[in-house]
Amino acid sequence: MPATPQPEKDDAHQQLLDQMDIYYVKKAFRSPNWRPSQRRNKNIKQIVSEAQRREASVLATQNNSGASTPQPAASDGSATPQPNMAQAAQSLSTLVLERNLQKAANASHSPNVASGPGPAVTYTNIESAPSLYAAKKHYCDITGLPARYTDPKTKLRYHNQEIFGVVRTLPPGGPDQYLAARGANVVLK
Amino acid sequence: MTINAVTRIIEERSRPPVPADGAWPTPRVYPAPEFPFRGWQPPSPSGYMQSAGTPSESAIVIDSGASTLKVGWSFDKKPRFLIPPLLAKYKDRKYNKYCAFVGYDAYADATTRGQIRNAFESYTSVPVNWDVMEGILDYTFIKLGVDAEASVGRPIVMTEPVANLTYTRRMMNEVLFEAYGATSVTYGLDSLFSYRYNKGVSGLVVSSGHAATHVIPVIDRKPQLQSCARLNWGGSQAQEFLLKLLRLKFPNFPGKMYMEQMESYLKQFSYISTDFQADMSHYLDWAGLEAGNDIVIQYPFTEQVVVEKSAEEIARQEERKKESGRRLQEQAAKMRLEKLIKKEQELEYLQSLHQQYLNAPTKKEQRRILDDEEFKDEAALERAIRDLDRKIQKSRNKDLGNPADEETLEEQLNKFPLLDVPDDQLDEDGIKEKRHQRLMKSGVEARIRAKAEKERERARIAEEKRLDEEQRVNHPEDWIAGRRAQRNALLVKIKEQARAKADSSNRKGLASQQRMKTLANLASDGPKRKRRGGGDYDDDFGANDEDWGVYRTVATEPASDDEEPEEDAEAQLKDVEKELLEYDPTFTENDTFEAQNDWTKSLMHAFLRGALPGPGDSQREDHQLHLNVERIRVPEVIFQPSIAGVDQAGLVEIIEGIVMNRFNNASQQQALLKDVFLTGGNTLFTNFDERLNRELISTLPTEFGIKVRAASDPILDAWKGAAQWWSGSSSSERAAATVSRTEYFEKGSEYVKEHDLGNSVSPAYG
């Protein structure tokens, strides 16, 4: 039979696969009672938006943290009342929210003052801001070389006359792909 | 003032002369890398045995990076193994069983590769796929040789992303405590562990990993997380960008490119340019290409075998062709002969018929003979005989190869005698014959006229040539100017043709629209406008020969070959250039169209094919990738994110913003800038530290004494730092950072402790 060597090779590969396969390997260290929730896989967008919705609904209620509740013992006319931590501790997450709001409001007045801790660090707010400077240098979309010109028709940047010829002979849809690589394409929603 | 000299404003690309040994060095060709499959990895249970003596002191340290998970024991010097966070889990139809392959094992074959899923959300360092994460943790504990009932039974030290989402941490806690029964869990930031391992005290930690780049200021070992920043650019984005660029560069590339290859290209060939603007401008110059700027990567291919025919075979084929030609000729000759015989028989018959006719006794008998053969009268019969006779004569001459005794046209003119005879001297037949002769004569006259016309045309062209020659000799400047103008017109025409050709596929193009307009005009049969003064409308279509050209513009297919071919602009151009080369001293070989379009001058050629000559047409060259500008263009994005369309400030601007705006104390600013610390796999590019140092010095005030240093091992130092921290800390220090099992069940799955190497506590939302 001519096909005999093939199954043998297949066999060797299958044995390798069987050796590597961990599905049926005994995993004694796993807790037998562990039953994960079926819908625990969420992407970041979902997680963030769900958390923000929850936060919004908490803030909208009367259920504040109670930090601004006057302390009965210390209310003898001091100008700046200390936050009432005893009350606030009842609802810690709301307290954090309130603090963040306060900080954000302060920050908008004086962004350069770095005194004290800023708003709590979150995954979304540590993302760095867009550049304050206009992009100084432009680069050719086709070759990446410094580009002095922009084609008014396709909006592609190009290095010289020869590249311009290439830009103008791109197939339909081509310029858009180049723009997409630079994030400058028009996306219709 | 007239412009009579044209200076080049475009820099000339010219190849340096061929070296003395006569050949260019052939560039080194790298093979395309395969999938990173490592084969079967044996477990290493020795660490577990060792840890059994001190189960609460020996922690499992996991640096959970989005590129690779590094796993080992806290007493190890380096991680025991690195695996990519991948899981391929599927049901094998053939054996009817489930399979699960983790890490490099998932690259085993096409089936497993097709099922790969990543634990992390793509382009972030946040784990989102918990089934995959569990599979990976299963694998790590199996490979670590963990052998206990319903619990791993060891503390776990794990890294998490900067400003981790609460949900993510909760899920991880649930998995670690409830599925694996960890005795305690400590979370820390990989970059801070790495900084600690490299003995940093105060400084700016720049950590560029697989999914993102973070800048974290550290003052007196305390991370200032409220001032940290993330740039959404890391190794995975760079890989994707490179893949995008290569797909655009080689849109018809036959090989299959994938991200794992891009990773190895970036590792192997990419580097940070210390002066990007200058390097980029000259990257594709000949000097650069010869210095090895162009990297050739060969993908697998099968060369098409062209069977070389032997001379013998060609000769045999030729012979066969001739043979069949001969056979055809023979057949044709035979047919002709048969026809000739038939004709001769017919002639004989007609002659006998004529004889019969002459010998017939009565007019009636004569009539019958003619009617039987359907002749009108005797003259018709005689003419038939004459025609047949002439035909036979002609074909005989042809067979024998005798040149037909062609009469000249003038001679033929004299063969119409009846025309000179007045009508009244002729009978009815005579008049008929005369009419026939007149027709023939006008035909002959037309032919004479055409001949004369041709003669005149020839003379005109010769005269034109003579005048042109005269002009060239007497007024060379004018002549050259004329020729140059002609050349320019031809160049425009060639360009126009190329554009029309390119435009023909574009339905919205000018050419297509023009064509549709013409079609619509032709299709509408009503007159466009009434002529003033009434009368039949006639659009005169066809009066001018050029009118018929519309059919050529309407046709999408090129004109078929029975029409006269379009004059070839390129051939004409060649002729003009030949003349210019001969007579115009300022026109050199370098100025010709061909030389201008030579591949050594083409920037696109250098971009697409490096220094390889000519258009590649072999399968081998079709399957080659050329990496050149991409080598510095892709890593540059971290300094100029706008190159890849990332709408964030570049690394230098981020650092500047953090140091100058978030810290108003000069001593703090100085402390930060004195130790800019690079860690993470994406900082491994050659010259990263040098470039950052240079840019920071040029942007920030000089008195800071800026210093940039790289981690001793940007990839593994995070793990090493975590292991070192655990093994080098007192139990109280550990407890301050660690959530124990009891604390987890008491305080909930979101509970975490703030410490100097970890995240700060954040509210519930991301």
Side-chain angles (χ1 to χ4, degrees), chain B residues 386-412:
Chain B
R386 208 167 50 231
D387 284 353
L388 204 54
D389 194 35
R390 203 181 298 147
K391 261 188 206 159
I392 288 167
Q393 204 65 39
K394 219 174 180 179
S395 63
R396 260 207 204 114
N397 279 344
K398 208 170 171 191
D399 268 4
L400 295 174
N402 287 354
D405 36 354
E406 280 286 332
E407 305 150 297
T408 62
L409 289 167
E410 281 72 19
E411 275 170 10
Q412 282 178 19

Side-chain angles (χ1 to χ4, degrees), chain A residues 10-11 13-14 16-32 34 36 39-45 47-48 50-52 54-55 93 96-97 100 111-133 135 137-146 148 153 159-163 166 168-169 172 174 177-178 180-184, chain B residues 10-11 37 39-40 89 95 97-102 105 108-109 112 121 124 126 128-131 134-135 138-139 141-142 146 148-152 162-163 165 167-168 171 174-175 178-180 214 225-226 228-232 241 244 248-249 276-277 280-281 284 502 601-604 607 629 633 640 642-645 647-649 653-654 656 661-664 760-766:
Chain A
D10 266 10
D11 262 8
H13 185 66
Q14 192 56 46
L16 178 67
L17 286 182
D18 287 344
Q19 194 179 21
M20 293 189 305
D21 184 6
I22 63 159
Y23 192 84
Y24 295 105
V25 173
K26 197 165 158 262
K27 296 176 263 277
F29 48 80
R30 279 181 77 98
S31 162
W34 169 240
R39 283 187 293 174
R40 59 178 174 158
N41 291 347
K42 293 179 186 167
N43 61 34
I44 292 178
K45 212 172 149 192
I47 298 170
V48 170
E50 274 174 26
Q52 277 171 346
R54 203 163 50 238
E55 168 201 347
S93 61
V96 175
L97 284 178
N100 279 339
N112 285 343
V113 174
S115 54
V121 182
T122 66
Y123 185 78
T124 37
N125 75 6
I126 63 165
E127 196 169 295
S128 74
S131 176
L132 293 173
Y133 313 114
K137 303 284 191 302
H138 291 313
Y139 299 98
C140 174
D141 283 314
I142 312 276
T143 62
L145 300 178
R148 270 174 290 183
K153 191 175 152 201
H159 175 69
N160 67 11
Q161 191 191 9
E162 186 193 346
I163 310 297
V166 176
R168 281 301 172 91
T169 48
Q177 288 177 318
Y178 277 103
R182 172 156 62 88
Chain B
I10 300 168
E11 64 272 38
F37 179 56
W40 155 251
K89 194 168 158 187
Y95 296 98
K97 60 165 196 170
Y98 287 97
C99 312
F101 302 99
V102 174
D105 296 356
D109 62 28
T112 59
E121 181 161 328
T124 72
V126 179
V128 288
N129 204 327
W130 296 101
D131 305 311
E134 272 187 40
D138 281 345
Y139 179 90
F141 296 138
I142 291 170
V146 175
E149 216 41 54
S151 161
V152 175
V162 181
L165 296 154
Y167 179 84
T168 313
M171 284 299 126
E174 277 179 15
V175 169
E178 292 180 34
Y180 297 109
H214 289 100
L225 283 171
Q226 76 283 354
C228 78
R230 180 182 68 231
L231 170 63
N232 293 330
F241 187 51
K244 233 188 242 175
L248 286 170
K249 187 171 176 177
F276 185 69
Q277 192 70 14
M280 206 51 167
S281 310
L284 291 178
K601 297 229 168 51
S602 165
L603 182 67
M604 259 334 251
F607 176 57
V629 286
R633 188 181 181 185
Q640 300 185 56
S642 63
I643 291 181
D647 193 17
Q648 287 186 290
E653 200 186 329
I654 291 176
E656 188 195 349
N661 297 337
R662 305 286 184 99
F663 295 89
N664 44 16
S760 58
V761 181
S762 58
Y765 68 93

Side-chain angles (χ1 to χ4, degrees), chain B residues 420-539:
Chain B
D420 297 333
V421 183
D423 275 2
D424 48 5
Q425 289 177 24
L426 290 169
D427 58 353
E428 208 175 306
D429 287 348
I431 289 176
K432 226 182 250 172
E433 188 59 32
K434 188 178 169 186
R435 209 180 292 149
H436 179 73
Q437 283 190 359
R438 187 176 292 139
L439 202 69
M440 297 295 281
K441 191 186 173 195
S442 59
V444 172
E445 278 169 350
R447 270 154 72 193
I448 290 173
R449 272 202 302 278
K451 207 172 163 188
E453 185 73 30
K454 230 183 238 170
E455 205 67 35
R456 267 202 301 283
E457 178 69 15
R458 214 172 293 146
R460 193 183 61 77
I461 290 173
E463 174 68 10
E464 233 171 47
K465 212 171 173 182
R466 195 186 60 77
L467 282 178
D468 189 60
E469 199 73 9
E470 219 173 76
Q471 168 93 346
R472 183 173 65 72
V473 174
N474 297 337
H475 308 280
E477 288 87 15
D478 292 355
W479 184 84
I480 285 170
R483 277 294 186 274
R484 288 215 173 224
Q486 202 178 342
R487 176 169 178 270
N488 287 343
L490 284 170
L491 284 178
V492 169
K493 192 171 172 188
I494 287 173
K495 225 180 205 174
E496 229 20 82
Q497 281 175 353
R499 181 179 302 176
K501 203 173 160 198
D503 215 27
S504 62
S505 61
N506 183 5
R507 277 163 50 83
K508 285 181 184 152
L510 193 65
S512 309
Q513 287 190 346
Q514 197 61 46
R515 179 170 170 265
M516 291 317 288
K517 213 183 238 171
T518 319
L519 274 180
N521 273 341
L522 286 173
S524 69
D525 18 66
K528 298 290 156 323
R529 66 192 154 81
K530 284 267 183 249
R531 223 193 248 170
R532 242 177 294 161
D536 281 341
Y537 173 73
D538 180 11
D539 62 358

Side-chain angles (χ1 to χ4, degrees), chain B residues 103 137 247 255 302 311 595 609:
Chain B
L137 290 172
R247 291 225 166 105
T302 43
R609 301 196 18 89

Side-chain angles (χ1 to χ4, degrees), chain A residues 33 35 55 62 72 78 87-88 104 128-129 156 161 168-169 179 184:
Chain A
N33 306 322
R35 296 280 175 274
E55 168 201 347
Q62 294 294 312
S78 60
Q87 279 288 324
S128 74
L156 285 181
Q161 191 191 9
R168 281 301 172 91
T169 48
L179 288 175

Side-chain angles (χ1 to χ4, degrees), chain B residues 314-329:
Chain B
I314 292 171
R316 209 178 311 140
Q317 221 167 22
E318 203 68 7
E319 186 55 39
R320 222 176 297 145
K321 226 183 248 170
K322 258 188 212 157
E323 180 66 30
S324 65
R326 228 176 2 245
R327 210 174 303 139
L328 272 177
Q329 271 175 347

